[in-house]
Amino acid sequence: MEGNHATTQSGCGDPDRPAHPGGFPNRDAGKGDPQPAGRDVDFPVSVVLPAGGTGERTGLQTPKQFCSFLGRPLISYTIQAFERVSWIQSIVVVVARENTDLMADIVRRFRHRKVRAVPGGSTRHRSIRNGILALGEEGGERPAAGRPKVVLIHDAVRPFVDEDFLYEIATAAKEHGAAGAIRPLVSTVIATTPEGYLDHSLERGKYRASEMPQGFTYDVIHRAYQRCSQSDFDFGTECLHLALQYCGTNAKLIQGPPTLWKVTYKRDLAAAESIIKDAVSRSACFVTGGSARAAALAGALQEPARALGTELDVVPDLTGENASYLLKEWNFIQFSVDHSRPAEVEALLAALEAADRAPLHPLVVIWVQWSDSDELLGGRAAAAAAAAVITDLSSAAKLRNILLYGIQLHQSKDSERWERSVSKVAEIASVLIRERSPALVGQLLQA
Ligand SMILES: Nc1ccn([C@@H]2O[C@H](COP(=O)(O)OP(=O)(O)OP(=O)(O)O)[C@@H](O)[C@H]2O)c(=O)n1
Ligand SMILES: O=C(CO)[C@H](O)[C@H](O)COP(=O)(O)O
């Protein structure tokens, strides 16, 4: 399947998985376009991300929005999910005062462009109110001019939200004044007596869980927060309720995907990490260097890699149209026949550096070295030299957030043995791409 590039079908068949959360690779986007296809939204939309909580229920010291996955804090994944949407004009992140510097550092490190951080309040409603007020000031001397028509509110700890759903909420909010995501209830809700007995239970089919995102016209949500009581600020948990009670606005409710769930407990952090790892390991670009042997290997790898959840695009090199792969959050497999000559992998690393992509998470480059068995038997020194080369290259690459791993593939005339080696390459590559283990960086693994 060697060519300019071979398009393959998407491997994401699970409806419970986010399509492409938090700015992860979208296989369907045009190769030169790092953004998903834009929607036509002809009114200004801004976002408030409340991130001022302490995350008590996780039992961890670090607030959950600052817990890192693959070297990147959760809040950055959520910001990216909004930032990549072309019709969203600005994002206000609300953080506790003591985390202002940390947030500024995250914005700088991950090159967030549409973000402004403002101080949070003692409760979620107070934090959101601060965000809304900050949006109202965006026009400077002419505040009304800078105000968005619609404000989307979304918990910073719900990183898996996609553009289509944001579009549904934003357009419904514009039409109805307020809109929110709902999900069916998982458990029945019951009321208890003060003594701890069952008082009554609710008919589950009639109720829904209220989730995020929610959308409001600026006027409705601003007015609701101007009018609500101290008790609402202290104990309230529902923005849609404020819009109804203080502005008479009945929110339009839209069923969202299950992935809108909120990271609340420690186990949710593990679940989020697993989803993120699945998402970043979906796509790899196999660079053959024009070699027929490499093209044959890439062809043989397609099936086992797909079975392990990774789709392979195969390209001879990364010039011309194929250079756009360098700008995406893809993984790379670079093939070379002569393992003592790292020219191809050096060129790939240099090209990735020159592309200067936003460092969203570490990128994986796997250097597959073809080795003749005979050559190996007679060449312990050559094998040691190859290992030394990859160690040196990987140390330099790591400074640029690139994880370089090596796989030595041993050619065999015995077809069974050869097939085993090829599946081994697919297995090792899938694990390396998914887990991104720092411990294995610079290792030359054997297939
Ligand atoms: N004073 C607060 C409290 C909460 N939040 C934010 O509101 C979102 C949802 O709230 P929740 O899950 O309850 O977060 P925490 O309050 O941090 O969690 P916990 O209740 O376990 O302490 C989170 O992004 C949280 O950072 C906020 O901006 N300001
Ligand atoms: O579900 C929600 C919307 O209605 C909020 O996300 C929820 O209120 C968040 O806070 P908490 O988990 O503390 O209730």
Side-chain angles (χ1 to χ4, degrees):
M1 287 257 272
E2 196 164 6
N4 221 19
H5 65 254
T7 20
T8 46
Q9 69 194 43
S10 168
C12 48
D14 183 348
D16 280 7
R17 293 228 195 129
H20 33 83
F24 292 142
N26 172 12
R27 292 191 61 88
D28 303 326
K31 290 283 185 282
D33 175 14
Q35 304 281 335
R39 291 270 199 168
D40 192 16
V41 177
D42 60 1
F43 51 94
V45 181
S46 288
V47 177
V48 173
L49 299 179
T54 53
E56 220 177 292
R57 283 171 286 179
T58 61
L60 301 172
Q61 289 291 321
T62 307
K64 54 201 177 187
Q65 58 275 25
F66 298 118
C67 289
S68 284
F69 307 106
L70 302 176
R72 184 178 168 204
L74 183 62
I75 177 88
S76 171
Y77 288 96
T78 313
I79 291 172
Q80 187 70 14
F82 287 87
E83 202 163 57
R84 68 205 296 266
V85 174
S86 58
W87 46 267
I88 286 178
Q89 62 179 24
S90 67
I91 302 167
V92 168
V93 182
V94 193
V95 290
R97 269 186 205 283
E98 64 267 26
N99 292 320
T100 309
D101 289 347
L102 173 60
M103 194 61 226
D105 186 53
I106 292 169
V107 169
R108 189 186 47 75
R109 269 175 49 220
F110 298 98
R111 300 189 199 169
H112 294 304
R113 308 171 320 275
K114 300 182 184 175
V115 173
R116 183 154 73 102
V118 302
S122 56
T123 62
R124 180 170 172 273
H125 270 324
R126 289 196 172 91
S127 291
I128 296 173
R129 190 239 345 238
N130 289 1
I132 304 289
L133 292 178
L135 280 180
E137 291 155 8
E138 285 194 338
E141 303 268 290
R142 295 171 51 237
R147 269 176 215 154
K149 174 73 186 163
V150 165
V151 181
L152 295 176
I153 302 174
H154 189 74
D155 293 323
V157 290
R158 301 180 190 250
F160 308 119
V161 58
D162 67 30
E163 176 171 356
D164 288 347
F165 194 67
L166 292 175
Y167 177 81
E168 279 191 65
I169 293 287
T171 47
K174 179 170 178 261
E175 190 181 341
H176 304 282
I182 52 167
R183 290 285 306 156
L185 285 178
V186 174
S187 306
T188 301
V189 177
I190 58 173
T192 58
T193 65
E195 298 76 32
Y197 293 93
L198 175 68
D199 186 81
H200 62 276
S201 68
L202 299 184
E203 199 185 321
R204 194 166 69 186
K206 277 173 78 179
Y207 294 86
R208 297 288 178 272
S210 173
E211 308 280 346
M212 289 269 148
Q214 294 176 351
F216 303 86
T217 55
Y218 181 86
D219 290 343
V220 164
I221 194 67
H222 184 260
R223 220 173 333 130
Y225 275 111
Q226 294 290 99
R227 293 179 179 174
C228 73
S229 66
Q230 286 309 310
S231 168
D232 288 314
F233 276 123
D234 285 338
F235 306 111
T237 57
E238 183 53 79
C239 307
L240 299 180
H241 167 76
L242 300 185
L244 178 60
Q245 182 163 356
Y246 297 103
C247 305
T249 303
N250 283 91
K252 174 74 181 162
L253 303 175
I254 304 172
Q255 176 148 325
T259 45
L260 289 176
W261 112 111
K262 179 163 72 66
V263 171
T264 303
Y265 298 101
K266 196 171 170 186
R267 61 166 186 261
D268 297 324
L269 289 165
E273 176 166 42
S274 174
I275 294 173
I276 287 168
K277 282 185 169 174
D278 278 355
V280 297
S281 56
R282 255 180 229 155
S283 314
C285 176
F286 190 116
V287 189
T288 64
S291 143
R293 274 199 259 186
L297 173 65
L301 278 178
Q302 292 276 8
E303 236 358 269
R306 185 172 300 142
L308 293 163
T310 305
E311 295 286 339
L312 281 185
D313 277 13
V314 183
V315 298
D317 54 44
L318 291 164
T319 58
E321 198 197 322
N322 292 333
S324 61
Y325 282 99
L326 296 164
L327 291 170
K328 295 156 157 289
E329 295 299 305
W330 280 54
N331 307 289
F332 293 90
I333 299 176
Q334 171 73 54
F335 180 87
S336 68
V337 181
D338 183 350
H339 51 70
S340 63
R341 217 173 51 88
E344 291 108 330
V345 79
E346 277 176 335
L348 171 58
L349 295 173
L352 282 168
E353 188 177 4
D356 196 29
R357 70 200 164 84
L360 296 180
H361 47 73
L363 203 97
V364 172
V365 174
I366 300 174
W367 180 12
V368 177
Q369 304 175 0
W370 179 286
S371 155
D372 287 326
S373 298
D374 300 345
E375 180 195 331
L376 189 81
L377 288 175
R380 269 178 201 277
V389 167
I390 194 163
T391 306
D392 288 349
L393 283 178
S394 67
S395 305
K398 207 166 173 193
L399 300 175
R400 286 172 263 134
N401 214 15
I402 296 171
L403 308 179
L404 175 65
Y405 305 99
I407 304 178
Q408 202 160 50
L409 169 65
H410 300 287
Q411 191 192 16
S412 172
K413 293 196 177 79
D414 176 344
S415 64
E416 252 180 56
R417 218 163 140 177
W418 172 243
E419 274 169 31
R420 265 206 311 276
S421 289
V422 170
S423 344
K424 199 92 198 141
V425 170
E427 267 174 55
I428 296 173
S430 287
V431 171
L432 293 174
I433 287 173
R434 189 174 193 281
E435 297 304 326
R436 285 158 212 251
S437 163
L440 292 177
V441 165
Q443 296 296 309
L444 190 53
L445 304 163
Q446 303 298 310

